[in-house]
């Protein structure tokens, strides 16, 4: 009887390890091939068009003006400074937008859960209308449809004769700092440190002795009292300068250009619709048993909300909330469509046109946004680790 | 005394509980259950009173509906004449009027073909899917672009054979009858030969073997495309193109091979981390530099490429969600049956995973549909871009709001309808478990 053939080594192309190596080598080769193809073509094209690559253009004079800048900027400054102007304007519009969207979004989320039928339906209608329309359309409506249609400075819409809204923008009183003002930020910092220390002490005492301390009211007193005392001691070193109508426009006060106002309004009302849904889902996501357990151990309504519902809802809310913040920051790039001088308009628009350095300019722009999203996802990972449920 | 009912022993009176049924009861419970709630209700009613009646008056009662010139709009309300005059532009852009029927035929074929997908238990859904994903794009391309096209009959046959063979090899369930196992062993060689012929054949023999050229209808250049038509083209190409790429990227991201995983993660995260507008800027400014000399592609194609790449990163994350939702037992069972990686994925995992992620894909489509408006920034006249252009026409200044309201209405109908459909699908798929 012939012996069955011993199970020899399988052929190399059936060995999973060999296959893995081959596939990965092929993937690297393909990726490198694509990169090399693009690189050689680009180099050849640039040579033909006579464009020198590199980042030297950052140092040359920009020669164009910008309608709004947080730092000193004029035509004789460099492209790098223009880049900074755009970056800061992007960060400004995102920061204001995030704050407003959070307020509006939490309000909407709570309204949708209201036991009042009309309030809940109004909030639902708002969410369904706003999130099903393109953001760019909403920016256009705010800018071309509303703000540019407003009357001129002489017929401004005014609030308490202090804030004026017209087709030139939003004018509001500007705080003017008098000498001695530095005492107030210091007082605020001291108060904050004191409040944190107090909260820590109160928690430790509660965990050790079970005694409750009215942290909230004491903190409030410290937070309001200390800065107020400092302000009183230095003679209230803050004055408001009101905008005044002179000739055809307002002078003095703080001026927000209409592009900024339209962009902030559109971004925050749009993102708020999404945040509202996140908040609603987060609160609904806390199981009913938690609420009933809290009532069973005799917590008051306020305590239930503060100690049981909110901490658990936040666990659900914060990760999608941060990604909405990131979306808002990325969406602020639509500023280019209404000529708000953000990173995309100044840098990927004007600077690109003037220098012709398409590759460098677009790569830098993308790198900026990638950095934002990387920072946000690092924060999110840190937060998720911190709040992760410790299971038995 | 109507509210008091005598119960039990004479002399003991208790209050009847407030009504909880009927209109009065409903209003009391849902609108005026407490003083705070009453205030909220009144504030809401005030908000409605301030917004809704003026809006209705503007949009309907005071509006101008008939006429064909600007002078027809002399009243306080909306000027719908503006929309009436610009309607064709808003729908089709600058597409020649005599050729608009081609767009309608394209829409019509799509509508007829898509109907069976919404019929539960329709038996040949697979074939409809194959038609929509592979055949329809070719038909639509020739309908919308037109002009003279040349086909090599040999190439055509090779392509058809390759397509049929591939379907038979990888999705035997789609074939009419089982294919012999011998086919399986021949297939790789066949596929290589057919592909090589399609890619290089023409060059090897110095030209097409059996060329057939025809002009069914005149060429319409893509720079004439616009309006809602362009919006639909960009969104559909983006979503259909991103599906295969997204599936490959999602599989790559979950691969056990570190190099492949790293490449896919980098690709996905880079495109998800940047705004679409920078991608479009890149597509319009940098793609021409990437290509060899002499190769140029038009603005629309560049935008389509940019949108597809961008959408594929988001699609990959949706598909990955589906892959992660498939229980480990499915993978293990497939391995226990002796299936390799591709067959495990193709026959066991992907069919289940793609089914669960359909609502996610629809949501992606809604997002992409809204985002297509950004192409106006690189100079294409989509639905919104066309409304913007119409409103800045010297004869029709001052009607921007009407244009926005009309486009908003169009977008809203599409997006709201699709989101409702996706919620319906979600509920339907949910009951399966």
């Amino acid at each position: 009887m012939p012996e069955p053939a011993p199970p020899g080594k399988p052929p190399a192309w059936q060995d999973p390890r060999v296959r893995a190596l081959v596939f990965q080598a092929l993937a690297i080769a393909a990726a490198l091939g694509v990169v090399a193809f693009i690189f050689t073509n680009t180099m050849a094209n640039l040579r033909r068009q006579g464009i020198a690559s590199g980042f030297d253009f950052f140092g040359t004079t920009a020669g164009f003006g910008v309608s709004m800048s947080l730092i000193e900027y004029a035509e004789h400054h460099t492209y790098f400074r223009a880049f900074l102007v755009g970056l800061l304007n992007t960060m400004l519009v995102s920061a204001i937008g995030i704050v407003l969207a959070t307020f509006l979004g939490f309000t909407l989320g709570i309204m949708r859960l209201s036991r009042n039928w009309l309030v809940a339906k109004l909030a639902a209608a708002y969410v369904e209308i706003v999130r099903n329309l393109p953001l760019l359309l909403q920016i256009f409506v705010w800018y071309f449809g509303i703000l540019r249609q407003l009357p001129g400075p002489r017929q401004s819409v005014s609030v308490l004769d202090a804030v004026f809204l017209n087709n030139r923008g939003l004018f509001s009183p500007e705080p003017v700092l008098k000498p001695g003002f530095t005492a107030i930020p210091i007082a605020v910092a001291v108060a904050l440190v004191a409040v944190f220390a107090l909260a820590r002490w109160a928690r430790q005492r509660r965990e050790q002795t079970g005694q409750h301390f009215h942290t909230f009211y004491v903190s409030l007193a410290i937070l309001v009292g200390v800065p107020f005392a400092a302000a009183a001691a230095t003679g209230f070193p803050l004055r408001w300068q009101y905008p005044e109508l002179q000739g055809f426009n307002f002078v003095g006060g703080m001026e927000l250009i209409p592009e900024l106002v339209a962009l902030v309004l559109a971004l925050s009302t749009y993102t708020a619709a999404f945040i509202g849904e996140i908040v609603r889902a987060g609160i609904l996501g806390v199981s009913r048993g938690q609420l009933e357990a809290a009532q069973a151990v005799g917590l008051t309504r306020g305590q239930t909300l503060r100690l049981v519902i909110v901490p658990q809802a936040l666990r659900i809310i914060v990760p999608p909330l941060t990604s909405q913040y990131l979306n808002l920051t990325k969406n602020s790039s639509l500023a280019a469509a209404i000529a708000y001088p953000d990173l995309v308009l100044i840098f990927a628009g004007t600077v690109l046109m003037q220098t012709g350095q398409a590759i460098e300019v677009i790569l830098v722009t993308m790198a900026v946004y990638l950095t934002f999203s990387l920072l946000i996802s690092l924060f999110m990972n840190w937060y998720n680790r911190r709040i992760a449920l410790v299971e038995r | 005394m109507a509210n008091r009912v005598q119960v039990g022993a004479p002399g003991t009176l208790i209050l009847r509980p407030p009504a909880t049924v009927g209109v009065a009861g409903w209003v009391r419970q849902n609108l005026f259950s407490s003083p705070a709630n009453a205030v909220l209700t009144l504030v809401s009613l005030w908000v409605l009173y301030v917004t809704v009646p003026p809006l209705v008056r503007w949009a309907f009662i005071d509006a101008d509906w008939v006429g064909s010139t600007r002078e027809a709009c002399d009243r306080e309300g909306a000027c719908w004449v503006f929309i009436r005059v610009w309607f064709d532009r808003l729908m089709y852009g600058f597409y020649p009027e005599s050729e608009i029927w081609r767009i309608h035929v394209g829409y019509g074929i799509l509508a007829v073909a898509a109907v069976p997908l919404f019929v539960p238990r329709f038996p040949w859904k697979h074939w409809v899917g194959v038609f929509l994903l592979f055949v329809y794009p070719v038909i639509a391309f020739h309908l919308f672009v037109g002009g003279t096209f040349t086909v090599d009959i040999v190439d055509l046959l090779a392509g058809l054979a390759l397509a049929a063979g591939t379907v038979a090899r990888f999705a035997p369930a789609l074939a009419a009858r089982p294919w012999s196992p011998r086919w399986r062993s021949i297939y790789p060689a066949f596929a290589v030969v057919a592909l090589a012929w399609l890619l290089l054949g023409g060059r090897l023999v110095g030209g097409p073997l059996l060329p057939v050229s025809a002009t069914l209808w005149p060429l319409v250049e893509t720079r004439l495309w616009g309006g809602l038509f362009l919006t639909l083209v960009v969104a559909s190409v983006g979503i259909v193109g991103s599906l295969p790429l997204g599936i490959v990227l999602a599989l790559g991201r979950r691969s056990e091979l570190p190099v492949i995983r790293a490449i896919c993660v980098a690709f996905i995260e880079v495109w998800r981390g940047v705004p679409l507008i920078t991608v479009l800027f890149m597509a319009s400014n940098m793609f021409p530099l990437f290509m060899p000399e002499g190769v140029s592609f038009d603005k629309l194609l560049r935008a389509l490429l940019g949108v597809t790449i961008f959408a594929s990163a988001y699609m990959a994350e949706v598909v990955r969600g589906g892959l992660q939702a498939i229980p480990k037992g499915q993978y293990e069972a497939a391995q226990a049956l002796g299936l390799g990686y591709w067959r495990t994925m193709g026959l066991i995992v992907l069919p289940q995973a793609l089914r669960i992620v359909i609502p996610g894909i629809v949501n992606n489509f809604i997002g992409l549909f809204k985002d297509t408006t950004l192409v106006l920034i690189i100079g294409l006249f989509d639905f919104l871009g066309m409304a913007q252009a119409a409103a800045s026409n010297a004869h029709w200044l001052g009607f921007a709001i009407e244009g926005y309201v009309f486009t908003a209405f169009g977008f809203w109908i599409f997006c709201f309808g699709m989101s409702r459909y996706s919620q319906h699908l979600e509920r339907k798929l949910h009951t399966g478990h």
Side-chain angles (χ1 to χ4, degrees):
Chain A
M1 219 171 108
E3 288 265 311
K9 264 176 65 170
W13 52 274
Q14 278 186 351
D15 184 343
R17 275 170 306 174
V18 177
R19 280 184 168 210
L21 281 179
V22 170
F23 273 128
Q24 300 192 63
L26 282 177
I28 292 177
L32 287 180
V34 170
V35 170
F37 174 76
I38 288 175
F39 186 77
T40 48
N41 284 333
T42 309
M43 282 300 137
N45 284 321
L46 288 181
R47 233 187 346 268
R48 203 164 37 251
Q49 294 175 8
I51 301 175
S53 57
F55 292 91
D56 296 341
F57 70 93
F58 266 131
T60 46
T61 306
F64 63 88
V66 169
S67 62
M68 185 194 129
S69 170
L70 292 177
I71 51 176
E72 193 200 336
Y73 174 82
E75 291 184 8
H76 62 80
H77 280 112
T78 59
Y79 280 125
F80 182 69
R81 196 147 179 105
F83 165 76
L84 283 185
V85 169
L87 180 62
L88 285 174
N89 282 347
T90 290
M91 286 162 80
L92 175 75
V93 81
S94 311
I96 308 178
I98 284 174
V99 172
L100 287 182
T102 309
F103 272 115
L104 194 56
F106 272 76
T107 314
L108 278 172
I110 292 164
M111 275 170 78
R112 285 209 67 178
L113 292 171
S114 165
R115 267 176 295 176
N116 187 318
W117 181 85
L118 195 59
V119 170
K121 288 293 161 196
L122 267 184
Y126 175 89
V127 168
E128 285 300 348
I129 291 174
V130 167
R131 70 171 181 175
N132 281 318
L133 291 179
L135 176 59
L136 190 58
L137 174 63
Q138 298 186 34
I139 293 177
F140 280 173
V141 168
W142 280 110
Y143 184 64
F144 294 110
I146 298 177
L147 288 173
R148 296 299 291 272
Q149 310 280 332
L150 285 172
R154 285 176 177 282
Q155 288 91 32
S156 298
V157 183
S158 82
V159 182
L160 300 174
D161 268 340
V163 180
F164 299 91
L165 187 65
N166 57 51
N167 60 7
R168 304 274 183 89
L170 183 75
F171 299 84
S172 72
E174 186 177 14
V176 181
L177 312 180
K178 291 271 156 57
F181 183 78
T182 38
I184 294 177
I186 294 174
V188 171
V190 169
L192 278 176
V193 171
V195 166
F196 273 113
L198 180 74
R200 218 185 142 83
W201 170 79
R203 201 181 62 229
Q204 279 173 356
R205 194 180 75 149
R206 194 187 64 216
E207 280 167 2
Q208 282 165 9
T209 66
Q211 279 178 308
H212 197 69
F213 186 77
H214 283 288
T215 322
F216 179 75
Y217 297 106
V218 179
S219 311
L220 199 67
I222 293 177
L223 274 181
V224 175
V226 174
F228 185 81
T234 51
F236 296 101
L238 181 72
R239 295 285 177 276
W240 293 98
Q241 191 192 9
Y242 288 87
E244 275 170 38
L245 188 63
Q246 276 179 13
F248 292 106
N249 206 351
F250 282 91
V251 177
M254 204 155 35
E255 181 192 348
L256 299 182
I257 57 173
E259 290 82 13
L260 174 67
V261 178
L263 196 62
V264 162
L265 283 172
L267 283 174
S268 51
T269 48
Y270 180 75
T271 314
F274 293 89
I275 294 181
E277 288 300 279
I278 291 169
V279 170
R280 170 170 167 259
I283 294 175
L284 286 178
V286 178
S287 71
R288 237 196 118 61
Q290 295 286 329
L291 187 75
E292 287 162 1
Q295 285 169 348
V297 295
L299 297 186
T300 65
R301 258 183 83 87
Q303 283 175 326
T304 311
L305 202 65
R306 202 153 40 81
L307 301 173
V308 179
I309 307 279
V310 170
Q312 298 190 61
L314 276 187
R315 195 195 297 274
I316 308 174
I317 290 172
V318 168
L321 188 64
T322 43
S323 77
Q324 283 304 326
Y325 289 165
L326 183 60
N327 276 348
L328 190 145
T329 311
K330 284 194 288 175
N331 283 335
S332 73
S333 60
L334 297 190
I338 56 167
Y340 170 75
D342 81 324
L343 181 66
V344 169
L345 184 78
I346 292 187
F347 197 61
T350 314
V351 173
L352 192 154
M353 284 301 149
Q354 290 197 359
T355 61
Q357 308 276 10
I359 295 177
E360 294 84 352
V361 166
I362 288 176
L363 285 186
V364 168
T365 313
M366 286 185 157
V368 168
Y369 284 103
L370 270 180
T371 313
F372 282 140
S373 51
L374 207 67
L375 289 179
I376 295 248
S377 42
L378 281 181
F379 165 78
M380 209 145 74
N381 291 343
W382 168 82
Y383 181 83
N384 277 337
R385 257 203 315 280
R386 212 179 86 97
I387 62 159
L389 276 180
V390 183
E391 303 221 346
R392 278 159 298 180
Chain B
M1 286 300 281
N3 242 3
R4 296 179 167 203
V5 181
Q6 207 171 2
V7 190
T12 54
L13 282 173
I14 58 165
L15 285 176
R16 195 171 74 180
T20 54
V21 292
V23 176
W26 184 89
V27 168
R28 193 196 299 258
Q29 272 202 319
N30 292 297
L31 299 180
F32 296 96
S33 60
S34 68
N37 250 340
V39 172
L40 282 178
T41 303
L42 292 178
V43 170
S44 308
L45 284 175
W46 177 78
V47 168
L48 284 177
Y49 173 74
V50 173
T51 52
V52 175
L55 205 65
V56 171
R57 210 173 307 128
W58 177 81
F60 299 104
I61 301 170
D62 287 346
D64 296 289
W65 298 85
V66 287
S68 57
T69 58
R70 192 203 160 94
E71 283 66 41
C73 294
D74 51 357
R75 302 177 54 186
E76 291 282 290
C79 176
W80 298 125
V81 177
F82 170 69
I83 300 298
R84 180 192 286 259
V85 170
W86 287 89
F87 186 79
D88 275 7
R89 290 272 183 276
L90 289 171
M91 290 294 116
Y92 317 108
F94 298 99
Y95 213 85
E97 211 169 314
S98 57
E99 304 297 321
I100 285 176
W101 63 269
R102 279 152 57 179
I103 298 180
H104 290 163
V105 170
Y107 287 168
I109 298 177
L110 185 64
V112 170
V115 164
L117 291 182
F118 295 91
V119 178
R121 294 174 188 287
F122 181 79
W124 300 290
K125 270 189 190 173
H126 292 111
W127 287 113
V128 176
V130 168
F131 172 78
L132 284 178
L133 287 181
F134 299 106
V135 184
Y136 181 74
V138 179
I139 298 177
F141 179 80
H142 278 297
L143 260 177
F144 297 153
V145 180
T148 308
F149 63 94
T150 309
V151 178
D152 185 347
I153 297 287
V154 181
D155 278 2
L156 188 68
L157 290 178
L160 283 179
L162 180 64
T166 308
V167 167
R169 168 66 179 80
F170 288 106
L174 288 181
R177 57 193 173 79
W179 290 58
S180 67
R182 178 180 294 171
W183 169 241
R184 222 181 249 169
S185 51
I186 307 175
Y187 174 78
F190 167 73
V192 168
V193 170
L195 255 180
W197 173 258
L198 283 178
L199 293 176
L200 305 169
R203 283 191 207 165
L204 286 183
V205 298
L209 287 180
L210 279 174
V212 174
S213 56
T215 310
L216 295 177
W217 34 68
L219 176 75
V220 178
E221 286 176 58
T222 55
R223 64 186 170 81
L224 299 176
W225 296 18
L228 183 62
F229 167 61
L230 183 73
T231 297
L232 289 171
V233 166
V234 175
S236 316
V237 170
I239 215 75
V240 172
S242 69
L243 197 56
L245 201 54
I247 292 175
V248 170
L249 285 170
L251 288 176
R253 192 169 186 167
R254 282 177 57 79
S255 163
E256 285 165 8
L257 312 178
V259 170
I260 292 185
R261 196 168 57 228
I263 292 175
C264 291
V265 169
F267 188 93
I268 294 172
E269 293 305 328
V270 163
W271 297 118
R272 266 162 43 93
V274 297
L276 175 57
I277 190 165
T278 57
V279 179
L280 288 173
F281 269 37
M282 189 189 110
S284 67
N285 289 308
M286 281 162 76
F287 279 1
L289 291 177
F290 290 167
M291 289 297 128
E293 193 182 359
V295 177
S296 69
F297 34 132
D298 69 22
K299 213 194 263 179
L300 177 64
L301 191 57
R302 281 183 245 160
L304 288 178
L305 272 176
V307 166
T308 307
I309 292 177
F310 182 78
S312 69
Y314 286 84
M315 190 61 85
E317 288 301 275
V318 170
V319 174
R320 181 166 74 115
L323 291 178
Q324 279 172 344
I326 303 300
K328 213 167 155 43
Q330 296 285 330
Y331 292 89
E332 288 164 356
Q335 280 176 353
L337 287 175
L339 300 184
Y341 176 82
W342 291 109
R343 269 188 280 176
T344 306
M345 290 300 165
L347 298 174
I348 311 289
V349 176
L350 274 179
Q352 299 183 69
L354 289 182
R355 238 177 92 84
I356 342 177
V357 298
I358 290 175
I361 294 175
V362 176
N363 285 340
N364 250 3
F365 186 72
I366 298 174
L368 192 63
F369 189 71
K370 290 190 293 174
D371 281 347
T372 51
T373 48
L374 301 201
V375 297
L376 75 87
I377 295 175
I378 58 166
L380 292 169
F381 289 97
D382 76 319
F383 196 21
L384 180 60
M386 211 61 230
Q388 188 80 345
S392 48
N393 182 294
H395 290 290
W396 290 92
L397 286 177
F399 298 115
I401 293 281
E402 281 83 348
Y404 295 145
V405 170
F406 181 71
T407 34
F409 186 69
F411 273 110
W412 192 82
I413 296 277
F414 267 94
C415 295
F416 184 72
M418 283 190 290
S419 76
R420 279 294 133 126
Y421 179 64
S422 124
Q423 285 166 12
H424 159 80
L425 277 180
E426 225 162 307
R427 272 195 304 274
K428 206 173 87 174
L429 294 175
H430 206 72
T431 52
H433 295 285

